[in-house]
Structure formats: structure tokens, C-alpha cells
Amino acid sequence: MILRRLTVWVAVLATCNVSEGLAAQANRIQVDGVRFSGTSAEAVTVPYIMIGAGHRDSMFGGSIDLSGSIQLDVQAIDASLVNIEELTFNYSAGPLDFRIGVGDVSWGLSDVRSPVDAMAPRAVFFDAYNGARLGQPLLGLSAFSQWGDLEAVIFPFPRSPHMGGRLKRTWNGSSVRSDLGWGERPVGGLRMARILGSTDIALSYVHGGERTLWISSDRPGEAGVVIPSLRQAGVELQRALGSVVLRTEGSLAKRDGDTEARIVAGAEWYPKPYLTLMVEQGLSSLNRAQASPLVDDIMLGGQLVTEEIRFSNLVFIDPKSGNRHYFVETRWTPTARTAIEVELITWAGDATQEPGLALRQRNVLRASLLRYF
């Protein structure tokens, strides 16, 4: 079997915790030593090596899909990640599609805070809210008809979120540990999707253990990652109106006995083929100490894509406290096989106004050199 895609990232990650009020000023990059220097309350430079590969082939009348990645933390090997993103056998028989192996199922519309997407664990390295999705053993069946598309999936031996070791504290200062193994609380779901003209609609139900990051405090100053029980009904609506796409998704969930309703609504505008502007608002019926700081925030974003440059930014603003979270990424592709990425993740405001048991986002500057083979 020949690898058809091989990506090597040599990523240098500089994280700076400015919660004590000191500004992070990374003012010098030394390429040969890969060193970031500056002043802050706490600054760490972390070299990463990331390798990804993929392959697709046919076998026994079906197809084999393989993709995976290794994220190597050079300074903490035990915190590194080997992620089989997909290793599945797919077989079609008339209106039915079967899928078995290791993989992922992405439901919902929002990439960062979908209330519907509850079965996908993520890896936490330097982004507390939007890490890499993790593959896990699955069985899936899809049925297609004139009434819509029905998808059923079960993860009989799921995995927990991966904690990379660099983000290990909550907003209230508790240190976080993760000692969960594979197989904690299997999870499965059903989703029915249909297209009605320019409108997409989907209904879903999830039962089992929630795989999104959830933290519980068992003693003062300490907290652990847990897998709460989950029963959740979800809905997704998306409508295209010319160059504007309107989106709404919501869920009604019972998590460890507590009922919560969540909704995310927004719009994307494409004034030019290379330009996207976004606005989104999230709402939740509960004020939980474990909730992500982004749950009830207004999101403003944009993306500019040219042949060589891609620039994207997101800012989340809490209407109550005024706290802000920023995600800015630029990618330059000087050749067909080489790219350079720079990403900045930062926040501003009052840490006491954030959910106490949510994972605390440190300020991060990431520089990456990517090489394709």
C-alpha cells in the first residue's frame, strides 16, 4: 500500500500565560534554534513535529479509507498523540452504506461550539475549544431514500479526550488530570437529514456518554476529566439565500440528570468568492461551571482566501462580562509542496467571569513549517 499523502509539520509553539496582568511580547524568532524570546508572567516554548498520511484503496467490493497523524511533543513524549483519524471499510448495497473500523462522525453546523456534535472526542494541545478530532472504533449504517438520509452509528469502545499536557488548569485555578481509559460509556446516535429546495434540515438523537471535554472537581484545587451520561435530541437548519447562508442548530439534553437547552444561530455572507464574513450567537439555559466560555458568546469572523494566502479570524465576545477570545490564523503557500502557518490564540478580560471548571485557554503563538510529499 502506497502513501498518497504525507504531511510533515515542524511546529514551534510558544504559550504565554498572562493571567497575572503582564503582556506577552514575543519579539524574536531564531530559526536555527527555534526559540521565542519575550517577557511574560510565564512563557514556554514547545517544539512539535506533526506527521500526517492518508491512503484510499478498493477491496472486497468496497473501499478502504486510511488517514492518521502523529503529534510529537519533543519535550514531553508521554503527552504526544498517535491518532488514527480513519481506518474504515466501506461497502454499498443499493440504498445502504455500511461502515466499520475506526473513524469519526461530525454532526452539527458550528465547527467550534456545535450543541449537536456530542460524540467526537478531541485532543487538547494548545487550543482548549477546537482541538483535533480523534478517531475511535465505530459501526455505521446509512440509508438513502426520497424521504431523506438516515444515519445510525455506534461507538462501542470509545476513547476519552486527549490531554496534551500544556493546558492543565481551569479558570478557577484547579489543576486538571485525565486518567480515563478507552471504553468508558459507549455512545451511539441516529440522524435523519433532508434537503427541501434551498433548505437543509436534520434531526438527531444521541444516547450514551458525552465525548466533549467535561471537567468535574472532586476536591479543592483539583479536577478531573469525566464522561457524563447523555441523552440528547438535536435539530439543524440551514437555508441559502443567494450569497447569504442562515444557520440554526440546537439541542435539548439530559446530562447526568440535569436538563439543558442550547442553541447557536448565525449567518455566513459571501460577498466575493474569496471572502467570507460570519456572525453567530450562542445561548444556553444553564449557567454551568463546566461549560465552555464560548457557549453564550457572540462570534464575529472572517476568512480571506487567495492562491497563496489564507487568512482567518474569529473573535468571541461575552455580552455580560465583555470578555473576549481571539483566534487568528494565516497561511502562506509559496510552493505547491510547502506552506508556512502562523496562529495566535489569546483572550482579554476578567478570568473570574469565565466558567470556573472550563479548561483555561492560555495565550498561544504557533509557527509551523509544512512540507508535503
Side-chain angles (χ1 to χ4, degrees), residues 53-332:
H55 178 73
R56 186 169 191 178
D57 210 339
S58 58
M59 184 180 295
F60 304 120
S63 65
I64 295 287
D65 291 325
L66 168 63
S67 64
S69 62
I70 299 174
Q71 300 189 39
L72 178 64
D73 186 335
V74 177
Q75 297 178 351
I77 299 299
D78 57 343
S80 301
L81 171 69
V82 177
N83 183 24
I84 301 177
E85 299 162 4
E86 184 168 15
L87 176 54
T88 57
F89 175 72
N90 306 274
Y91 183 80
S92 297
L96 300 178
D97 279 356
F98 300 91
R99 184 182 180 207
I100 184 172
V102 175
D104 175 33
V105 172
S106 178
W107 294 350
L109 303 172
S110 175
D111 293 333
V112 178
R113 54 173 178 173
S114 170
V116 176
D117 190 18
M119 295 188 292
R122 293 179 180 265
V124 176
F125 283 97
F126 50 89
D127 188 335
Y129 319 116
N130 192 33
R133 302 173 71 94
L134 304 178
Q136 47 187 349
L138 65 80
L139 296 169
L141 172 65
S142 298
F144 307 97
S145 72
Q146 60 180 345
W147 305 107
D149 302 333
L150 178 65
E151 181 180 11
V153 64
I154 184 171
F155 297 94
F157 196 64
R159 67 188 301 179
S160 62
H162 175 86
M163 302 292 292
R166 301 299 170 179
L167 302 179
K168 282 291 191 177
R169 289 199 175 273
T170 62
W171 286 97
N172 66 11
S174 298
S175 60
V176 181
R177 69 179 188 278
S178 179
D179 49 11
L180 295 172
W182 288 68
E184 299 267 355
R185 285 186 170 169
V187 61
L190 290 169
R191 181 175 182 267
M192 182 71 177
R194 188 175 182 185
I195 299 175
L196 300 173
S198 59
T199 301
D200 298 348
I201 183 172
L203 302 174
S204 61
Y205 177 74
V206 175
H207 186 96
E210 182 170 13
R211 314 319 295 186
T212 57
L213 187 63
W214 204 252
I215 298 173
S216 178
S217 180
D218 47 9
R219 60 177 65 93
E222 295 185 16
V225 179
V226 297
I227 305 295
S229 63
L230 179 70
R231 286 183 292 167
Q232 174 178 288
V235 60
E236 306 162 45
L237 290 170
Q238 182 168 274
R239 182 174 177 81
L241 300 174
S243 61
V244 177
V245 178
L246 304 177
R247 304 186 307 182
T248 301
E249 59 179 314
S251 66
L252 180 62
K254 194 163 188 178
R255 188 181 291 105
D256 275 351
D258 294 328
T259 302
E260 179 181 13
R262 282 186 58 197
I263 187 171
V264 171
E268 292 189 9
W269 178 35
Y270 303 90
K272 299 292 183 180
Y274 51 83
L275 180 63
T276 306
L277 301 176
M278 297 167 284
V279 61
E280 190 177 274
Q281 172 69 67
L283 295 172
S284 174
S285 64
L286 291 181
N287 184 17
R288 291 176 174 268
Q290 295 93 341
S292 163
L294 309 183
V295 165
D296 292 324
D297 290 357
I298 299 171
M299 184 206 79
L300 303 174
Q303 180 171 271
L304 176 66
V305 180
T306 68
E307 291 185 359
E308 294 186 358
I309 299 291
R310 185 187 69 193
F311 174 80
S312 62
N313 74 289
L314 298 175
V315 55
F316 292 83
I317 305 171
D318 187 339
K320 297 179 181 178
S321 67
N323 285 5
R324 301 168 302 282
H325 289 79
Y326 302 93
F327 302 83
V328 182
E329 183 177 355
T330 301
R331 178 168 179 162
W332 176 43

